[in-house]
Amino acid sequence: MDRSPAPAGAFFLAGNPDSMSDAKDLDPTDWEVFRAQAHGALDAMIDHIRDVRERPVWREASAEVKARFRRELPLKGRDFSRTLADFDAYIKPYAIGNTHPLFMGWVQGAGTPVGMVAEMLAAGLDSNCGGRNHIALDVERQIALWMAQAFGFPPDASGIFVTGASMANFLSLLVARERAAGGKNVRLNGLGALDSVLVAYASREVHNCVRQAMELSGLGARHLRLIASDERRAMRVSDLQHAIAADRAAGLTPFLIVGTAGTVDTGAIDDLDALADVASEEEVWFHVDGAFGALAALSPALKPLVKGLERADSIAFDFHKWLHVPYDAGFFLVRDPQTHRRAFAADAAYLSRAPRGLAAGETWPCDLGPDLSRGFRALKTWFTIETYGVELLGACIEQTCHMARRLEALIEASPNFVMRAPVTLNIVCFGVAEDADGSLAREIVMDLHESGEAAPSLTILDGVPAIRAAIINHRTHKADIDRFMELLEAVRRQALREPHPEPLAAAPRGPGRTRLSQD
Ligand SMILES: *Cc1c(COP(=O)(O)O)cnc(C)c1O
């Protein structure tokens, strides 16, 4: 046997490619069988969405179920129907549950049947939306135009889909850093090229991703000033001005103010107009983290709350929260397209543009962010906005705020629960009466999760755990809020082992009423 190493550059597969008898590919051998299987899967998922109220919000996967995902790498495939059956048995029942009307945890969108179909169709096209000359980029551009219109930005504002607001907020720091660097070329020379340290400002209620963005960008989390908030949990503007003055006096360079439209904990909104004033006086970048709250601009009734958004230099927001586009669909919108491009565009031979053909075009999405290969997130967003229209989408956003008010009123009417923060939009933070350390609140949230009946989440307000109901879901209606309150009372009684006036299982059923599941 010849054991001498193959010469460099030699074809490493044995055999003559021309003599390969059976050509392989990954398409079905029988398209009609596949068609039936695929239709069956889609039908089942449509039923799954339709019947969401019939199921627990969440069920923890058992050890047996999890064991299904600890197998060896499969060498041989198997029939598609078996993969689908395993999806039904081992995956579908154990999803997080954010499609359910009594899911109120964190801040999560609920999806729509239309978004699901769009996602499937996008996968069929399998478009790579990093660049090049194809229609998907026009669809993405359409979304940027629409959002520029909705938020009062100029029509040439540039925008790009990213995974979520965390990424969009990160990009905002990089663009603001680029602007602050002036001619110093930090992309080439690093932060050491700057004359002084750059400092950013946000309220102490700001999402942690902004702190993380300071870490990741090399600017350093210690250079993010967390400004105190007022009784409505909005940034104290006079404190901001003092902090900026103190930093300037110390020889530092303020470069960025991050306002929040809808804080993640309580939904508080900074005074965006006042922040825009400070930013323009100080000549610093004004970015708004409007992850969910910016979309309040789609409701004429709520729009005044986000006044000043139209003056931002950039906005981070998510279509996957209040607009229910299936995960993931974050967006980053920038007023000045040149600065945006300057922060990311690069010359690489394989990305060079041609005057015509598939490599034509000027600005590609890969010039506006760090991703090169990227999916067609614009399609599910375009389907959502085209199909439902902004009036209905805005009305659903408004409805969640009404539901939050309803819950607030029920909490206030109950001797057993206390409000913990003002309700600005759709988030209700409350605690349990006589529960100074929040331990009962914590128990109640875990009990509710395990009951499968409802899923609020927990947050820490002023050092004490609070129950947080973030009502985002377009499916959450009055009966669901009333049911949620009944559940809270019942679970509290159970946690305290107080006698129950009537068995929980006897709670009336009907639309919006789910069983207290024991399974
Ligand atoms: C959800 C949220 C984020 C993070 O957004 P992702 O899409 O989860 O990355 C940031 N800021 C606020 C205010 C949020 O509500």
Side-chain angles (χ1 to χ4, degrees), residues 100 175 212 311 340 387 405 451 453:
H100 195 288
V175 178
Q212 191 187 46
R311 297 173 63 194
H340 186 182
T387 305
R405 294 279 176 212
S451 77
E453 289 280 6

PDB file of all heavy atoms in Angstrom, residues 100 175 212 311 340 387 405 451 453:
ATOM      1  N   HIS A 100     -49.319  32.078  24.592  1.00  0.00           N
ATOM      2  CA  HIS A 100     -50.509  31.917  25.440  1.00  0.00           C
ATOM      3  C   HIS A 100     -50.951  33.255  26.052  1.00  0.00           C
ATOM      4  O   HIS A 100     -50.117  34.022  26.509  1.00  0.00           O
ATOM      5  CB  HIS A 100     -50.187  30.907  26.551  1.00  0.00           C
ATOM      6  CG  HIS A 100     -51.389  30.391  27.269  1.00  0.00           C
ATOM      7  ND1 HIS A 100     -52.113  31.159  28.148  1.00  0.00           N
ATOM      8  CD2 HIS A 100     -52.009  29.190  27.229  1.00  0.00           C
ATOM      9  CE1 HIS A 100     -53.129  30.440  28.629  1.00  0.00           C
ATOM     10  NE2 HIS A 100     -53.076  29.232  28.073  1.00  0.00           N
ATOM     11  N   VAL A 175     -21.889  53.317  16.310  1.00  0.00           N
ATOM     12  CA  VAL A 175     -22.098  54.448  15.403  1.00  0.00           C
ATOM     13  C   VAL A 175     -21.804  55.761  16.141  1.00  0.00           C
ATOM     14  O   VAL A 175     -21.134  56.654  15.606  1.00  0.00           O
ATOM     15  CB  VAL A 175     -23.529  54.447  14.820  1.00  0.00           C
ATOM     16  CG1 VAL A 175     -23.741  55.650  13.917  1.00  0.00           C
ATOM     17  CG2 VAL A 175     -23.779  53.165  14.040  1.00  0.00           C
ATOM     18  N   GLN A 212     -23.646  46.191  28.723  1.00  0.00           N
ATOM     19  CA  GLN A 212     -22.867  45.177  28.012  1.00  0.00           C
ATOM     20  C   GLN A 212     -22.265  45.752  26.726  1.00  0.00           C
ATOM     21  O   GLN A 212     -21.129  45.433  26.372  1.00  0.00           O
ATOM     22  CB  GLN A 212     -23.751  43.972  27.692  1.00  0.00           C
ATOM     23  CG  GLN A 212     -22.934  42.798  27.208  1.00  0.00           C
ATOM     24  CD  GLN A 212     -23.808  41.660  26.722  1.00  0.00           C
ATOM     25  OE1 GLN A 212     -24.758  41.880  25.975  1.00  0.00           O
ATOM     26  NE2 GLN A 212     -23.493  40.463  27.149  1.00  0.00           N
ATOM     27  N   ARG A 311     -36.723  63.063  17.371  1.00  0.00           N
ATOM     28  CA  ARG A 311     -35.499  63.866  17.397  1.00  0.00           C
ATOM     29  C   ARG A 311     -34.256  63.025  17.663  1.00  0.00           C
ATOM     30  O   ARG A 311     -33.144  63.561  17.744  1.00  0.00           O
ATOM     31  CB  ARG A 311     -35.638  64.959  18.466  1.00  0.00           C
ATOM     32  CG  ARG A 311     -36.767  65.943  18.151  1.00  0.00           C
ATOM     33  CD  ARG A 311     -36.999  66.909  19.286  1.00  0.00           C
ATOM     34  NE  ARG A 311     -35.823  67.749  19.535  1.00  0.00           N
ATOM     35  CZ  ARG A 311     -35.651  68.484  20.635  1.00  0.00           C
ATOM     36  NH1 ARG A 311     -36.573  68.460  21.590  1.00  0.00           N
ATOM     37  NH2 ARG A 311     -34.571  69.220  20.788  1.00  0.00           N
ATOM     38  N   HIS A 340     -23.910  56.073   9.735  1.00  0.00           N
ATOM     39  CA  HIS A 340     -24.207  54.662   9.957  1.00  0.00           C
ATOM     40  C   HIS A 340     -23.257  53.789   9.124  1.00  0.00           C
ATOM     41  O   HIS A 340     -22.606  52.880   9.625  1.00  0.00           O
ATOM     42  CB  HIS A 340     -25.669  54.391   9.580  1.00  0.00           C
ATOM     43  CG  HIS A 340     -26.131  53.008   9.910  1.00  0.00           C
ATOM     44  ND1 HIS A 340     -27.385  52.567   9.610  1.00  0.00           N
ATOM     45  CD2 HIS A 340     -25.501  51.962  10.500  1.00  0.00           C
ATOM     46  CE1 HIS A 340     -27.522  51.312  10.007  1.00  0.00           C
ATOM     47  NE2 HIS A 340     -26.390  50.910  10.542  1.00  0.00           N
ATOM     48  N   THR A 387     -50.501  42.722   6.152  1.00  0.00           N
ATOM     49  CA  THR A 387     -51.728  41.963   6.373  1.00  0.00           C
ATOM     50  C   THR A 387     -52.608  42.601   7.435  1.00  0.00           C
ATOM     51  O   THR A 387     -53.817  42.705   7.259  1.00  0.00           O
ATOM     52  CB  THR A 387     -51.390  40.515   6.781  1.00  0.00           C
ATOM     53  OG1 THR A 387     -50.538  39.961   5.796  1.00  0.00           O
ATOM     54  CG2 THR A 387     -52.650  39.666   6.897  1.00  0.00           C
ATOM     55  N   ARG A 405     -54.093  48.438  32.870  1.00  0.00           N
ATOM     56  CA  ARG A 405     -54.878  49.291  33.780  1.00  0.00           C
ATOM     57  C   ARG A 405     -55.905  48.457  34.541  1.00  0.00           C
ATOM     58  O   ARG A 405     -56.173  48.694  35.720  1.00  0.00           O
ATOM     59  CB  ARG A 405     -55.636  50.365  32.988  1.00  0.00           C
ATOM     60  CG  ARG A 405     -54.747  51.357  32.336  1.00  0.00           C
ATOM     61  CD  ARG A 405     -54.305  52.415  33.323  1.00  0.00           C
ATOM     62  NE  ARG A 405     -53.361  53.297  32.675  1.00  0.00           N
ATOM     63  CZ  ARG A 405     -52.351  53.905  33.275  1.00  0.00           C
ATOM     64  NH1 ARG A 405     -52.174  53.751  34.562  1.00  0.00           N
ATOM     65  NH2 ARG A 405     -51.541  54.673  32.617  1.00  0.00           N
ATOM     66  N   SER A 451     -47.925  25.596  37.841  1.00  0.00           N
ATOM     67  CA  SER A 451     -49.335  25.222  37.656  1.00  0.00           C
ATOM     68  C   SER A 451     -49.690  25.164  36.174  1.00  0.00           C
ATOM     69  O   SER A 451     -50.669  24.535  35.790  1.00  0.00           O
ATOM     70  CB  SER A 451     -50.248  26.235  38.347  1.00  0.00           C
ATOM     71  OG  SER A 451     -50.347  27.429  37.571  1.00  0.00           O
ATOM     72  N   GLU A 453     -50.824  27.575  34.601  1.00  0.00           N
ATOM     73  CA  GLU A 453     -52.002  28.438  34.418  1.00  0.00           C
ATOM     74  C   GLU A 453     -51.643  29.833  33.939  1.00  0.00           C
ATOM     75  O   GLU A 453     -52.411  30.457  33.213  1.00  0.00           O
ATOM     76  CB  GLU A 453     -52.745  28.563  35.745  1.00  0.00           C
ATOM     77  CG  GLU A 453     -53.452  27.299  36.163  1.00  0.00           C
ATOM     78  CD  GLU A 453     -54.774  27.114  35.448  1.00  0.00           C
ATOM     79  OE1 GLU A 453     -55.105  27.898  34.550  1.00  0.00           O
ATOM     80  OE2 GLU A 453     -55.481  26.159  35.793  1.00  0.00           O
TER      81      GLU A 453
END
